[in-house]
Amino acid sequence: MSAPTSRARAWRGVLTTPLGATAAVLLALVLAVAVLGPVLWTQSADAVDTGNILGAPSGEHWAGTDNLGRDIVARVLVAGRLSILLAFAAIGIAIGVGLLLGSAPFLLGNGRAARLVSAGVNVAVAFPGLLLALFFAVVFGVGATGAVLAIGLAGAPTFARLTQTLVAGLAGREYVAAARVAGVGRLRILVRHVLPNLREPLVVNATIGAGSSLLAFAGLSFLGLGVQSPSYDWGRLLYDGVGSLYVNPAAALAPGLAVLVAGLAFNLFGEAVAKGLGVTELTGPRVRRPATKAAPEPDEQRDHSEGRPSADVVLEVRDLKVSFAGRDGQLRPVRGVSFSVHRGEALGVVGESGSGKSLTALAVTRLLGDDATVEAERLRLLGQDLLAEATPAQRRLLGTSLAMVFQDPMSSFNPTRRIGRQLAEVGTEHQGMTRAEAMARAVDRLDAVRVSDAADRVRQYPHEFSGGMRQRAMIGMGLMGSPSLIVADEPTTALDVTVQQQVLDLLSAIRDADDLALVLISHDVTVVGEVCDRVLVMYAGRIVEDLATADLATAAQHPYTRALVAAVPDMATDVSEPLATIPGRPVGPADTPAGCAYADRCPLADVRCRSEEPPLERTAAGGRVACWHPGGEPDVVLAGPDLRRVER
Amino acid sequence: MSELRFEDVSVRYGRHTAVDAVSLTVPPGTVVGLVGESGSGKSTLARATVGLVEPTSGTITLGGAPLPRRGRRPLQMVFQDPYSSLDPRMSIGSSIAEAMPRDETTATRQGRREEVRRLLELVHLGSTSPDARPGKLSGGQRQRVALARALAGRPDVIIADEITSALDVSIQGAVLNLVRELQQELGLSMLFISHNLAVVRYVASRVAVMRAGRIVEEGTTATVLGQPEHPYTRELLDAVPGRNPR
Ligand SMILES: Nc1ncnc2c1ncn2[C@@H]1O[C@H](COP(=O)(O)OP(=O)(O)OP(=O)(O)O)[C@@H](O)[C@H]1O
Ligand code: SF4
Ligand SMILES: [Mg+2]
């Protein structure tokens, strides 16, 4: 997805909302009046009629006439251009000065001068805008120029602060750091890397600002500090109209209404754009409400894993599919996954980014958002059907017998609440404990996951924990109940080696102690190999191989599994040879081919591979593999990786 | 090519000492691996080298001369996350061209285009259009663009900070192969920072182990990883996944 097209889409989206469409029409009308007004109505606006001075509204003069007998409506329509031009000029000044002041700290290199500028801006922002405008009006003298400068400069601090905040955010990006390291000057960085990103927020704020400065102008002219006769803008007309308020109120109401409508048009449009552009950022499954479809009644098939008694089965998944409504039809990132996990078993799931590992986990834990459709022939946790409508009992079962651990423990905790509280909540919500009981349990559980000084630590906030500790606290949270299954999605990817080892040891220890089932998702085969008994290898939304971890290095059957194992250097890798690589890229859900999804990257692919998808079948070793040539010619897969093949 | 030398370099953030009196040498034409747990100061040292933070004390010299404080540095850096280190709005060609020093070859538009092509070729992206946006490339391809950009600055030394840890294992290998190849073909010097010992073992000829801001052990890769002296190095080695399979 490239940036420009998605932006264009977002802009189009703005115009199709009711608010956006209304605002756009209104704005177009206002601008049309500004452009055409003076052309069409100047004559009638200037026509003096001494016989009809301060006339009341009539069929000929809808809003009456002024003290020279000129038509008010015509004058309001003509005044539109000047009013809007002045507002634009003011907002232009505000943006220009604001940009300059706002980017100054960045250009000055965040030294003392930079701090001075930003402190000044902060003070100016806190100053009431109209007061500033009055002050400047006195300084620059009474008249349109003074008023434009006054309102422009009064608006500048707001834009300066906006710019400053946005620039500071962008300056922290790595590509800005990279450009600096490359020796690119600060001004150039500002112009090339930083300012383009400010376009949208500036447009939005300028539109809203235009509305406000229109009002401010009307205010100044109304006070007699703005446009002076014989020129006139809406504020000036308002000023004149109020003078004759008791004779002809319409003379004041008409320009007032014009200011209101125009101001509203700008503001609404700005808001609509802000909303439209903001909304596009909210994608991905966040809502924690499952969306499941009823599946056909499961037939009584035997559980196909190692022929264990099915009483031991903790999780049973058969033909699980996850799909999304995409722009060009339905996307199905998970295309029929079947496996089961037994009590005391640790099951690993490996595969490249995008292979559907996380979606499988989220579907099983029912954490997928509403935009996902989950279908399965069977999806059972401890014998309970997870596909049925969620009953309170089922929610309790999910809350207490299943624990999920995510990659980034920081984003899984609420940063504003103490760790202890967040753990205790599980106890009070799902297990009917009192607060005190739950807190005692939280301390006990943190202790169990080897967080030192647990009794004190429960009072700390997530950011006071180190990454490894947070991850342990997350596991501790899962252990608040007495889970039968822990699903851990990349639990150690964000951690460094030593901490990673501790977390992995902890997971293993918990599993051994309580006879839990563990599903460990990782893109690193070595991590999985260390903890798990069995590994599922996923590719393009399917399981392509299911084998014992002991067989990974030596007896893998699928070419993809073998390539994954060979691609990771370990402490015994021959450093004189280039590393094995997997050519090409993984296929996405939008371009899954008809035959074997791996065929394009597989050295063993033949005609059949490209036309017929291999089914997942049992192997002699007790695993499962989906390949037409399982175990074929390992040498070809592992030998002589040619870098050039990678890029295609 | 010249030698990069840290002498007694310290970096303090407030009261916290992130890098504590580090002395280290990156000899010309060698890849020196820097390993250690997160928070041990590896990235801070890297950022000090390229001028993104100021050392509180100590000197960093290149070929005996202190690093220039302004303008183009004879050092380039490649960052961890190839998704955030390239400007999404800029074509990869302009990103690379931006880092080129101004001289006869790069004075003209044509010259710059040719140089971009040559660099893309060098990182095995010859068939990728210089006009492509980073959004269209895979993680491994982006990381290779980032390497090409670093090479465009004709640096004496490249600082590589965890350049493979954000990549899928399937493409990590290709990037590591490229690093080795560039080192062998161009005689590049590199400070290669990683928490993954197996990766460092694969690309570096010397290794320095960092802990709590200090270098606790330094030597040839074979010695440090084969006969570690310091208990912390041994601890790191024991923690390597796959060492103790079930
Ligand atoms: N909400 C969504 N709408 C549409 N497609 C989605 C959505 N969420 C995920 N996908 C797609 O589903 C596929 C599988 O995603 P998933 O997150 O399961 O991958 P993964 O194997 O966990 O990868 P990683 O290793 O990067 O975490 C991807 O192609 C992804 O783009
Ligand atoms: S089915 Fe064919 S293409 Fe697919 S992995 Fe097996 S050999 Fe390769
Ligand atoms: Mg994932």
Side-chain angles (χ1 to χ4, degrees):
Chain A
M1 185 188 70
S2 74
T5 56
S6 72
R7 239 178 303 142
R9 241 200 343 270
W11 280 100
R12 262 203 309 282
V14 169
L15 297 180
T16 49
T17 62
L19 176 70
T22 315
V25 168
L26 213 56
L27 190 63
L29 270 178
V30 168
L31 293 178
V33 165
V35 172
L36 300 175
V39 182
L40 295 178
W41 294 294
T42 300
Q43 219 162 11
S44 43
D46 289 347
V48 175
D49 177 2
T50 41
N52 188 12
I53 284 171
L54 296 178
S58 64
E60 196 184 341
H61 305 291
W62 290 352
T65 58
D66 70 355
N67 52 3
L68 287 177
R70 294 174 294 200
D71 181 56
I72 299 278
V73 170
R75 288 176 73 76
V76 166
L77 291 173
V78 172
R81 181 185 285 183
L82 183 61
S83 302
I84 285 167
L85 279 183
L86 289 176
F88 279 177
I91 207 73
I93 292 178
I95 293 179
V97 174
L99 271 179
L100 222 61
L101 283 178
S103 42
F106 178 78
L107 286 178
L108 294 172
N110 297 324
R112 177 182 289 169
R115 275 201 297 280
L116 258 171
V117 172
S118 46
V121 165
N122 285 339
V123 170
V125 166
F127 221 72
L130 200 63
L131 217 61
L132 268 184
L134 281 175
F135 171 71
F136 285 128
V138 174
V139 173
F140 295 118
V142 171
T145 325
V148 166
L149 282 171
I151 291 172
L153 291 180
T158 318
F159 279 97
R161 177 130 91 182
L162 176 75
T163 310
Q164 202 177 317
T165 317
L166 293 171
V167 168
L170 288 162
R173 296 275 171 87
E174 277 189 345
Y175 61 82
V176 173
R180 278 179 61 193
V181 173
V184 181
R186 281 183 175 270
L187 185 63
R188 239 179 123 77
I189 292 182
L190 186 74
V191 172
R192 298 186 77 171
H193 298 285
V194 177
L195 292 186
N197 288 297
L198 301 189
R199 221 159 25 206
E200 279 128 23
L202 278 184
V203 166
V204 167
N205 283 283
T207 323
I208 294 176
S212 320
S213 74
L214 207 68
L215 287 177
F217 246 102
L220 275 193
S221 290
F222 178 68
L223 293 171
L225 294 171
V227 175
Q228 303 297 318
S229 56
S231 307
Y232 55 96
D233 69 339
W234 286 332
R236 182 77 208 176
L237 291 179
L238 203 58
Y239 176 72
D240 293 341
V242 167
S244 56
L245 193 64
Y246 295 108
V247 188
N248 178 17
L253 283 178
L257 196 69
V259 169
L260 195 73
V261 169
L264 209 63
F266 281 111
N267 269 324
L268 279 183
F269 189 70
E271 302 272 341
V273 170
K275 214 176 200 175
L277 294 187
V279 162
T280 54
E281 286 153 24
L282 296 171
T283 50
R286 306 184 164 211
V287 197
R288 298 198 157 203
R289 237 184 62 217
T292 45
K293 262 194 194 162
E297 195 54 32
D299 53 6
E300 264 320 305
Q301 227 175 337
R302 258 194 60 75
D303 163 49
H304 43 205
S305 298
E306 279 87 58
R308 292 212 221 165
S310 58
D312 256 4
V313 176
V314 175
L315 177 70
E316 198 183 353
V317 179
R318 194 169 306 151
D319 203 18
L320 172 75
K321 294 176 183 136
V322 179
S323 25
F324 294 92
R327 238 179 315 137
D328 332 292
Q330 206 190 32
L331 286 181
R332 179 165 286 170
V334 177
R335 308 181 294 140
V337 162
S338 305
F339 64 92
S340 35
V341 192
H342 296 84
R343 203 167 287 289
E345 185 184 32
L347 177 70
V349 181
V350 297
E352 276 166 285
S353 184
S355 54
K357 308 183 294 291
S358 297
L359 286 181
T360 303
L362 291 171
V364 167
T365 50
R366 308 203 59 176
L367 290 175
L368 274 177
D370 274 346
D371 55 339
T373 309
V374 176
E375 294 161 277
E377 205 175 293
R378 184 178 284 192
L379 190 57
R380 290 189 169 182
L381 177 66
L382 296 172
Q384 284 258 7
D385 187 6
L386 293 180
L387 290 168
E389 204 49 46
T391 61
Q394 202 190 41
R395 266 199 295 277
R396 202 160 341 106
L397 177 82
L398 271 172
T400 56
S401 32
L402 188 144
M404 175 105 194
V405 181
F406 295 97
Q407 168 169 359
D408 179 6
M410 193 65 209
S411 59
S412 339
F413 277 113
N414 179 340
T416 63
R417 300 187 57 216
R418 297 175 203 276
I419 293 270
R421 270 288 171 73
Q422 301 192 44
L423 260 72
E425 201 174 67
V426 180
T428 52
E429 290 259 311
H430 296 295
Q431 292 153 289
M433 293 184 184
T434 65
R435 274 189 152 190
E437 280 169 2
M439 191 53 86
R441 174 97 178 148
V443 173
D444 177 66
R445 294 293 81 185
L446 283 182
D447 213 38
V449 294
R450 294 176 218 146
V451 170
S452 53
D453 304 321
D456 294 326
R457 291 248 177 219
V458 284
R459 276 191 289 281
Q460 289 188 324
Y461 289 93
H463 71 264
E464 297 176 79
F465 276 44
S466 76
M469 259 195 299
R470 269 199 298 267
Q471 197 55 293
R472 273 181 271 172
M474 189 76 219
I475 298 172
M477 185 140 128
L479 295 180
M480 280 298 288
S482 38
S484 316
L485 174 67
I486 299 183
V487 178
D489 188 358
E490 308 266 6
T492 61
T493 308
L495 308 173
D496 58 73
V497 249
T498 40
V499 186
Q500 167 178 313
Q501 189 62 38
Q502 291 161 10
V503 170
L504 291 180
D505 286 348
L506 176 67
L507 284 174
S508 303
I510 292 170
R511 171 174 77 105
D512 291 344
D514 296 345
D515 212 22
L516 298 180
L518 173 68
V519 172
L520 178 67
I521 298 173
S522 176
H523 67 268
D524 192 341
V525 194
T526 45
V527 165
V528 163
E530 187 146 324
V531 178
C532 299
D533 319 295
R534 205 153 58 88
V535 195
L536 304 179
V537 182
M538 283 192 72
Y539 190 78
R542 284 250 162 122
I543 295 176
V544 295
E545 185 157 17
D546 167 2
L547 76 171
T549 30
D551 291 341
L552 257 180
T554 49
Q557 301 284 303
H558 199 282
Y560 180 62
T561 314
R562 292 208 300 256
L564 269 187
V565 172
V568 192
D570 61 25
M571 297 306 278
T573 302
D574 182 355
V575 294
S576 60
E577 288 288 318
L579 286 172
T581 56
I582 307 176
R585 297 207 209 186
V587 294
D591 46 45
T592 318
C596 172
Y598 188 58
D600 264 356
R601 311 168 77 185
C602 181
L604 302 180
D606 59 16
V607 184
R608 184 181 192 192
C609 297
R610 292 182 194 282
S611 55
E612 253 182 283
E613 182 149 33
L616 189 61
E617 283 178 337
R618 302 231 125 242
T619 62
R624 295 179 291 166
V625 66
C627 175
W628 293 124
H629 310 289
E633 312 275 307
D635 289 352
V636 183
V637 188
L638 300 179
D642 176 2
L643 268 172
R644 257 151 268 257
R645 290 192 319 191
V646 180
E647 52 175 293
R648 261 188 309 162
Chain B
M1 290 295 145
S2 34
E3 178 183 85
L4 175 69
R5 206 183 181 98
F6 300 85
E7 269 169 84
D8 247 2
V9 173
S10 298
V11 181
R12 272 188 278 281
Y13 295 118
R15 261 180 306 155
H16 174 68
T17 305
V19 173
D20 192 1
V22 163
S23 295
L24 180 69
T25 307
V26 180
T30 34
V31 177
V32 174
L34 184 61
V35 299
E37 62 196 4
S38 75
S40 61
K42 305 185 300 281
S43 294
T44 307
L45 190 65
R47 296 177 87 85
T49 320
V50 293
L52 290 172
V53 297
E54 278 295 314
T56 324
S57 62
T59 52
I60 307 176
T61 55
L62 187 68
L67 289 169
R69 291 185 158 259
R70 302 207 133 258
R72 198 161 294 273
R73 288 187 170 236
L75 289 169
Q76 290 294 327
M77 180 154 169
V78 182
F79 294 82
Q80 172 169 3
D81 186 356
Y83 289 89
S84 71
S85 67
L86 293 174
D87 190 337
R89 294 184 189 244
M90 222 158 154
S91 72
I92 58 171
S94 342
S95 274
I96 295 172
E98 189 180 63
M100 291 174 188
R102 296 279 164 264
D103 62 16
E104 321 71 87
T105 17
T106 60
T108 63
R109 219 184 138 73
Q110 182 59 28
R112 284 197 293 276
R113 273 198 95 76
E114 267 164 26
E115 180 72 358
V116 165
R117 285 232 167 268
R118 187 184 73 80
L119 289 162
L120 283 176
E121 198 76 54
L122 203 62
V123 296
H124 305 300
L125 286 175
S127 59
T128 307
S129 158
D131 299 323
R133 309 264 153 189
K136 293 252 184 285
L137 305 182
S138 74
Q141 288 173 321
R142 284 172 187 228
Q143 200 56 297
R144 279 182 273 162
V145 172
L147 264 171
R149 175 177 59 187
L151 292 172
R154 304 203 201 118
D156 290 336
V157 183
I158 287 184
I159 316 288
D161 190 3
E162 297 278 8
I163 57 171
T164 57
S165 56
L167 303 178
D168 244 318
V169 284
S170 54
I171 41 189
Q172 175 184 320
V175 172
L176 290 176
N177 285 342
L178 176 64
V179 165
R180 284 196 1 158
E181 200 182 296
L182 291 175
Q183 194 270 327
Q184 281 156 11
E185 280 176 14
L186 309 177
L188 217 57
S189 322
M190 194 180 272
L191 184 62
F192 188 95
I193 300 173
S194 174
H195 67 257
N196 187 331
L197 289 184
V199 164
V200 167
R201 173 180 170 275
Y202 189 71
V203 294
S205 49
R206 295 184 75 82
V207 178
V209 183
M210 200 162 176
R211 180 190 202 184
R214 292 176 161 274
I215 303 270
V216 296
E217 185 163 4
E218 198 264 345
T220 64
T221 307
T223 323
V224 174
L225 302 184
Q227 296 104 39
E229 296 266 314
H230 198 277
Y232 179 65
T233 315
R234 283 200 285 274
E235 201 183 310
L236 274 184
L237 279 165
D238 283 339
V240 173
R243 287 226 123 189
N244 33 356
R246 297 177 64 90

